[in-house]
Amino acid sequence: MKAVERAKLVRSLRQESRRLRLLVLVIGFFLVTLTFVVLSKPDALLFNLNGRLSVDEAPRSLLIRQATDADATADPAQRSAAAQDPKPLDDFEDAEANAKATTKDSEERAHTVRDPQQSGKKEPESRLLGSGGGEGEKKGHRKVTLPTVSNYTIRDAEDGDNAKQQDSRPETENKLEMVAGKSDGSQQQDWDDAEWGSKPLCDFSNFRANVCEMRGNIRIHPNASSVMYMEPASSKRNELWKLKPYPRKGDELCLSKVTELTVKSSKVAPECTKYHNVPVVVFALTGYTGNLFHDFTDALVPLFTTASEFNGEVQFLITDMAIWWTRKYHVVFKKLSNYPLIDFNKDTDVHCVKHAIVGLHAYMEFTIDPSKAPHNYTMVDFNRFMRRTYELPREAVSALGEIPKAKPRLLIISRQRTRMFLNLPEIIAMAEGLGFEVVVEEANVSSDLSQFSKVVNSVDVMMGVHGAGLTNCVFLPHNATLIQIVPWGGIEGVCRIDFGDPAEQMGLRYKQYSIAVHESSLTDQYPLDHEIFKNPLAFHKGFEFIKETFMDKQNVRLDCNRFRPVLLQTLDLLNQ
Ligand SMILES: *[C@@H]1O[C@H](CO)[C@@H](O)[C@H](O)[C@H]1NC(C)=O
Ligand SMILES: *[C@@H]1O[C@H](CO)[C@@H](O)[C@H](O)[C@H]1NC(C)=O
Ligand SMILES: *[C@@H]1O[C@H](CO)[C@@H](O)[C@H](O)[C@H]1NC(C)=O
Ligand SMILES: *[C@@H]1O[C@H](CO)[C@@H](O)[C@H](O)[C@H]1NC(C)=O
Ligand SMILES: *[C@@H]1O[C@H](CO)[C@@H](O)[C@H](O)[C@H]1NC(C)=O
């Protein structure tokens, strides 16, 4: 009896221990896997667990306001305020911008200063997409976490003389580095640029932006609005450049608000009061900023192009500061620079730098020219940067059916006051009939970018009438589709340059839909046999006139039968 019981006991114990061992094995395996996943691909985990959540978590108020007409929901007070606003454009992004804006219509003024020689030139898409891989990886950065500003005053004459003599550089550097409390010599490169000696300080050849770049012993002196490149006594260099560091070359109206800087070679210079161990980028912020399109094409894209290679180890010196603007985009600034912004116009220090860039690299409207940009950056890189900056979960659209039961999502960018959709409910119903989940949003002054970017990133297709709101396409996932609706007036070319070419360079699919006469509210103002319908190009009498005639006084009543095929095509694209 006893033996039997003992045998039973032993057996059950053994079973227990086997179960336990199995359990331990399973848990162990799970932990190892988890650790591996977390270590190797933290993003993947995040995406898998939360990727779609963000969509569902989007505030209720943002989702499908199907039945409501934009007008019906608008706050009456705001509407009357809007009505009194003498400025026709509702694209301004910030009240302060409005207040200070003599640039009453900055949105499309861009078009007046476009270089015709550049239009039509396009990078092959495959190349663009191909070069998009791994923004972070291809840059081999060294992180410098040393004090960058010292209160030491460099003795001018000596350092100035040494700076240009390659052989004596290490000595100079030692001196400087002792001061800055650093000795690893990782900045040696900055000093050892032997090529630099003969290169002109500035490059004025670009049609859109003048940029100066120099390495050596540089003094930036805000009092005198000047940047001085120190020369040894024996040097023959004698350069003097004047530039406004805002990338709208030739646009006098815009540049009239921008401080002119002098960049010169010099043998005498003021004493340094601040020393920077990282490169300094000097640029202006007024101009046309305050309009979403210009925020990007004039400032954010050029800033990314110019400064992202430094991986945060860069100091920004901003002339013509717009504090509200730096607040609006503070997440972008935080991503680009680890150092507090310096307001150049208020600053009285003499900054000593080894590497300075004055002005921002900019090319065609809202694009990056990879053949000229540092590190061959592309708009694909820019979009990836923006998605990361705003912590957006979707890198690319997923094919239909990949996520069961998920409907393709369509964002309609609505507008108020100008270029509105007059039949929004009908458009929404049609899109829903095709199987879309529809989101209607308006990007305006009060839009919170971090929230709005999440909505944009959650959709597969974004559509809207030509206007600054389409700039939000930077937040779309890769391979999403942008549909631009072109108002009547023969303005297809401008529309393509502003958003079509950029969208394609961003790795988005792009559709352009030109409305027909019967879809334009201009038919309420002019008889059907009017010249404006027969020959709209006759009304292209300067930018102001075009804007008044076709942009400010036109709304769109989309012909759903005519437009439906475009949406169907986007569904086809999602199936690829
Ligand atoms: C300057 O630096 C020295 C040591 O680096 C420090 O003791 C001193 O307080 C600093 N002076 C100022 C004004 O920051
Ligand atoms: C710059 O101007 C400020 C005030 O106007 C003055 O205190 C400062 O000494 C000046 N700096 C130089 C280097 O001239
Ligand atoms: C960028 O592209 C051009 C050709 O488009 C090439 O000549 C150049 O070497 C590239 N620059 C870098 C840094 O890869
Ligand atoms: C801005 O858009 C929101 C919806 O996103 C809307 O509720 C608000 O009335 C709009 N504000 C203005 C000033 O047009
Ligand atoms: C985008 O779509 C193309 C096919 O149209 C595909 O080859 C490519 O891998 C997609 N890109 C991403 C990032 O999903």
Side-chain angles (χ1 to χ4, degrees):
M1 252 342 232
K2 262 186 179 169
V4 171
E5 267 177 15
R6 194 181 302 141
K8 249 188 207 164
L9 195 68
V10 165
R11 211 181 311 144
S12 81
L13 269 179
R14 222 183 265 149
Q15 256 169 14
E16 275 304 302
S17 82
R18 208 180 303 149
R19 238 178 261 153
L20 195 70
R21 243 181 288 152
L22 196 68
L23 193 69
V24 166
L25 202 68
V26 166
I27 290 176
F29 181 71
F30 175 74
L31 283 179
V32 165
T33 310
L34 192 71
T35 310
F36 175 74
V37 168
V38 167
L39 285 182
S40 62
K41 271 191 142 183
D43 287 355
L45 190 70
L46 205 69
F47 183 79
N48 287 338
L49 295 179
N50 297 332
R52 297 302 294 187
L53 269 189
S54 72
V55 170
D56 303 324
E57 279 170 359
R60 279 282 132 216
S61 63
L62 299 176
L63 297 170
I64 325 181
R65 299 188 318 197
Q66 306 143 320
T68 57
D69 197 36
D71 260 7
T73 55
D75 177 338
Q78 272 177 342
R79 260 161 66 203
S80 64
Q84 282 158 14
D85 188 346
K87 295 187 239 3
L89 214 74
D90 62 346
D91 281 329
F92 273 97
E93 286 305 303
D94 194 286
E96 284 173 74
N98 251 333
K100 76 185 167 70
T102 47
T103 67
K104 53 188 182 300
D105 51 1
S106 47
E107 177 183 7
E108 286 96 349
R109 192 182 296 280
H111 315 319
T112 55
V113 291
R114 197 164 280 119
D115 186 357
Q117 132 213 340
Q118 296 282 334
S119 38
K121 186 179 129 229
K122 245 190 336 171
E123 285 295 319
E125 194 169 359
S126 58
R127 198 190 151 284
L128 288 174
L129 293 176
S131 62
E135 161 199 358
E137 295 76 38
K138 69 181 178 194
K139 282 185 262 165
H141 290 289
R142 57 209 143 83
K143 264 283 198 208
V144 189
T145 49
L146 293 155
T148 53
V149 176
S150 101
N151 62 7
Y152 175 79
T153 300
I154 296 171
R155 280 161 298 154
D156 291 301
E158 277 174 44
D159 288 347
D161 286 349
N162 286 342
K164 280 286 290 173
Q165 288 155 19
Q166 311 294 340
D167 292 345
S168 60
R169 276 185 183 183
E171 200 190 306
T172 315
E173 181 167 43
N174 285 343
K175 208 184 300 169
L176 293 172
E177 294 198 331
M178 255 157 44
V179 166
K182 95 173 251 215
S183 57
D184 77 58
S186 67
Q187 303 245 328
Q188 188 98 19
Q189 281 177 341
D190 290 351
W191 289 92
D192 285 352
D193 199 332
E195 301 295 292
W196 211 259
S198 56
K199 215 171 146 188
L201 301 179
C202 298
D203 178 2
F204 276 29
S205 67
N206 187 295
F207 74 97
R208 198 171 150 206
N210 292 334
V211 179
C212 307
E213 179 162 12
M214 58 219 100
R215 291 163 199 264
N217 187 349
I218 300 144
R219 309 291 156 90
I220 300 174
H221 185 11
N223 280 18
S225 292
S226 69
V227 177
M228 270 160 266
Y229 181 81
M230 299 306 300
E231 295 286 332
S234 60
S235 165
K236 295 227 165 52
R237 190 197 283 270
N238 185 11
E239 290 183 35
L240 178 78
W241 306 82
K242 287 191 180 290
L243 77 160
K244 296 189 169 185
Y246 187 91
R248 277 223 172 261
K249 203 164 146 180
D251 185 340
E252 290 311 323
L253 177 83
C254 172
L255 294 183
S256 63
K257 284 169 277 166
V258 177
T259 306
E260 184 173 72
L261 301 181
T262 303
V263 171
K264 61 184 176 191
S265 55
S266 174
K267 295 191 173 78
V268 290
E271 286 203 343
C272 301
T273 59
K274 255 192 188 165
Y275 178 75
H276 301 270
N277 241 340
V278 295
V280 166
V281 175
V282 186
F283 61 95
L285 267 191
T286 46
Y288 292 149
T289 49
N291 163 287
L292 191 65
F293 181 67
H294 285 278
D295 287 354
F296 278 80
T297 190
D298 294 358
L300 297 175
V301 172
L303 252 182
F304 166 82
T305 310
T306 311
S308 71
E309 68 172 303
F310 303 119
N311 207 24
E313 289 302 311
V314 60
Q315 172 71 58
F316 291 146
L317 258 168
I318 302 178
T319 81
D320 310 293
M321 179 62 128
I323 298 275
W324 64 268
W325 199 89
T326 60
R327 283 201 196 113
K328 173 162 189 176
Y329 294 105
H330 74 278
V331 285
V332 180
F333 281 108
K334 241 172 71 188
K335 199 89 174 169
L336 285 173
S337 169
N338 302 333
Y339 304 95
L341 305 173
I342 296 177
D343 183 341
F344 187 90
N345 294 22
K346 286 204 184 124
D347 195 75
T348 53
D349 276 310
V350 175
H351 301 268
C352 261
V353 206
K354 289 186 277 188
H355 183 184
I357 300 174
V358 184
L360 300 175
H361 295 288
Y363 313 96
M364 280 298 282
E365 217 60 83
F366 200 17
T367 59
I368 300 172
D369 182 343
S371 70
K372 296 188 183 131
H375 297 269
N376 295 54
Y377 286 133
T378 66
M379 284 304 277
V380 173
D381 297 321
F382 178 74
N383 276 28
R384 189 184 297 115
F385 168 78
M386 289 308 283
R387 283 193 298 261
R388 291 195 178 151
T389 300
Y390 284 91
E391 294 175 341
L392 305 176
R394 289 174 83 214
E395 279 292 311
V397 295
S398 30
L400 285 180
E402 211 165 87
I403 299 159
K405 291 200 211 123
K407 286 184 174 184
R409 282 166 65 87
L410 168 70
L411 170 62
I412 301 179
I413 302 277
S414 68
R415 295 173 56 97
Q416 293 183 27
R417 286 196 274 170
T418 65
R419 283 164 274 155
M420 293 187 281
F421 285 120
L422 296 174
N423 57 338
L424 200 52
E426 192 192 342
I427 300 169
I428 293 167
M430 184 267 290
E432 287 181 342
L434 293 179
F436 280 102
E437 185 178 352
V438 180
V439 188
V440 180
E441 270 298 319
E442 183 197 343
N444 62 27
V445 173
S446 46
S447 307
D448 168 6
L449 214 54
S450 72
Q451 188 197 48
F452 201 84
S453 62
K454 285 184 173 56
V455 176
V456 175
N457 187 249
S458 77
V459 305
D460 306 291
V461 181
M462 178 172 125
M463 65 178 269
V465 182
H466 174 78
L470 297 187
T471 312
N472 286 295
C473 64
V474 294
F475 301 116
L476 284 170
H478 199 104
N479 276 352
T481 305
L482 174 69
I483 305 172
Q484 178 171 209
I485 291 159
V486 182
W488 181 258
I491 50 177
E492 280 74 10
V494 157
C495 290
R496 181 151 249 297
I497 289 170
D498 282 354
F499 296 109
D501 296 345
E504 282 174 358
Q505 294 200 13
M506 289 171 195
L508 303 175
R509 284 128 176 190
Y510 177 69
K511 301 253 161 231
Q512 188 161 303
Y513 176 86
S514 298
I515 68 166
V517 169
H518 70 278
E519 299 174 274
S520 169
S521 70
L522 290 175
T523 54
D524 303 337
Q525 298 164 46
Y526 303 91
L528 278 177
D529 59 357
H530 194 275
E531 180 78 357
I532 203 170
F533 299 124
K534 286 197 224 141
N535 181 18
L537 293 183
F539 292 77
H540 285 205
K541 305 171 198 161
F543 173 74
E544 281 302 321
F545 195 82
I546 293 179
K547 184 175 172 305
E548 251 171 57
T549 316
F550 297 118
M551 305 281 194
D552 297 344
K553 296 195 181 135
Q554 184 169 201
N555 293 317
V556 171
R557 191 178 293 104
L558 212 57
D559 178 343
C560 283
N561 285 326
R562 189 168 173 263
F563 183 69
R564 184 184 286 112
V566 178
L567 276 188
L568 280 172
Q569 285 164 18
T570 69
L571 284 176
D572 283 347
L573 288 174
L574 282 174
N575 277 318
Q576 279 174 19

